[in-house]
Amino acid sequence: MRKLALLILASAFTFTGAFAQKDNDAKLILNKLSKQYRSYDAVKTDFTLLVDNAQANIKQTQTGTLIARSKTNKYKVTIYETGKSVSQEIISDGKSQWTYLKDANEVQLADADNSEEGFNPAKIFTMYEKGYKYIYTGLQKAGGKTYQAIDLTPEDSKASFFKVRLMVDKVKNQLYSAMIFDKNGSRYTYTLKTFAPVTKLTDATFSYDKKAHPGAELVDLR
């Protein structure tokens, strides 16, 4: 399940629609959101992931951190176990991608996919710009606050998701959460607990450090 959750995170951050056209209200909100995001060199956010599938009797929560520099397709996603020990990592320097799996004690090395359809969590704030239809569905309450809700549907009918629901904080002009509706009945809800621009990041942030995971087997998939 942990490996599945990380793979879903990859798909969600990159992603025949139900809507006939792109909604102007939604476009204004999303354009404002992505404009602010693009003004940063890099960002860091702590998030929680809720995996919910009533039919399979699955409901669990994980925590993680994302550091992203979208202009160069660099990112680092970390999933934690209880006690903040690292369970999984996905790291990319824009050329290569490392996926560390603690349970298997291995790291998988592959070429980075920088295509529009490729896995790039750095695109979470701009993913709607290509391949999606979207509509503003009004205000919704969550966690005691009110957010702007936007539903996205992928134009690719073969996508494993049929809808993504974004919740945007109007006052802060920040993404609050993204709920992915999987065709298998599962729902994956990513809630951003913190969000901050980051400066003076070194390239080492986006490279795999084998010293941090001694003994992990390298599996070269290139």
Side-chain angles (χ1 to χ4, degrees):
M1 177 55 65
R2 288 173 179 166
K3 184 175 181 180
L4 174 63
L6 195 56
L7 293 175
I8 290 295
L9 174 64
S11 301
F13 282 4
T14 58
F15 294 105
T16 350
F19 308 116
Q21 59 184 6
K22 295 182 179 179
D23 180 70
N24 286 332
D25 290 337
K27 185 176 181 178
L28 289 173
I29 295 170
L30 293 171
N31 281 347
K32 185 178 179 182
L33 182 69
S34 62
K35 181 179 180 180
Q36 177 169 299
Y37 173 65
R38 290 181 184 280
S39 70
Y40 303 134
D41 174 59
V43 298
K44 179 179 179 180
T45 178
D46 297 313
F47 63 85
T48 60
L49 164 62
L50 172 63
V51 182
D52 191 359
N53 187 320
Q55 295 179 344
N57 196 30
I58 296 174
K59 191 170 186 178
Q60 67 176 50
T61 301
Q62 294 178 324
T63 61
T65 299
L66 165 67
I67 302 174
R69 179 180 280 153
S70 63
K71 296 175 183 177
T72 52
N73 293 320
K74 296 180 180 181
Y75 51 82
K76 179 178 181 179
V77 180
T78 306
I79 301 295
Y80 300 105
E81 294 179 327
T82 303
K84 280 290 183 178
S85 63
V86 175
S87 172
Q88 302 171 39
E89 286 183 335
I90 296 181
I91 306 169
S92 177
D93 61 2
K95 296 179 180 180
S96 301
Q97 175 185 301
W98 297 266
T99 302
Y100 168 72
L101 304 171
K102 181 180 179 180
D103 289 348
N105 195 29
E106 71 177 29
V107 55
Q108 300 172 356
L109 174 60
D111 291 327
D113 185 353
N114 295 320
S115 67
E116 289 300 326
E117 297 78 21
F119 160 36
N120 189 341
K123 295 180 180 179
I124 182 175
F125 304 101
T126 57
M127 66 181 186
Y128 76 93
E129 294 177 344
K130 291 184 180 180
Y132 288 86
K133 298 179 181 181
Y134 42 79
I135 187 170
Y136 174 59
T137 62
L139 300 176
Q140 293 188 21
K141 288 187 176 181
K145 296 182 65 176
T146 301
Y147 299 93
Q148 297 168 309
I150 298 174
D151 282 355
L152 289 75
T153 54
E155 294 176 342
D156 183 0
S157 61
K158 296 181 181 180
S160 60
F161 307 91
F162 65 88
K163 181 168 63 177
V164 179
R165 177 165 295 158
L166 304 180
M167 303 280 277
V168 179
D169 188 321
K170 181 178 181 180
V171 177
K172 295 182 179 180
N173 189 34
Q174 290 180 3
L175 183 66
Y176 168 72
S177 67
M179 179 183 291
I180 297 89
F181 294 76
D182 198 296
K183 290 179 180 178
N184 68 7
S186 297
R187 293 186 180 184
Y188 303 87
T189 304
Y190 296 89
T191 302
L192 307 188
K193 296 300 184 181
T194 64
F195 179 94
V198 182
T199 59
K200 299 181 179 179
L201 282 177
T202 65
D203 289 340
T205 302
F206 306 105
S207 296
Y208 178 74
D209 182 7
K210 62 181 181 181
K211 294 180 180 179
H213 308 298
E217 179 186 2
L218 176 65
V219 180
D220 196 333
L221 303 177
R222 294 173 297 180

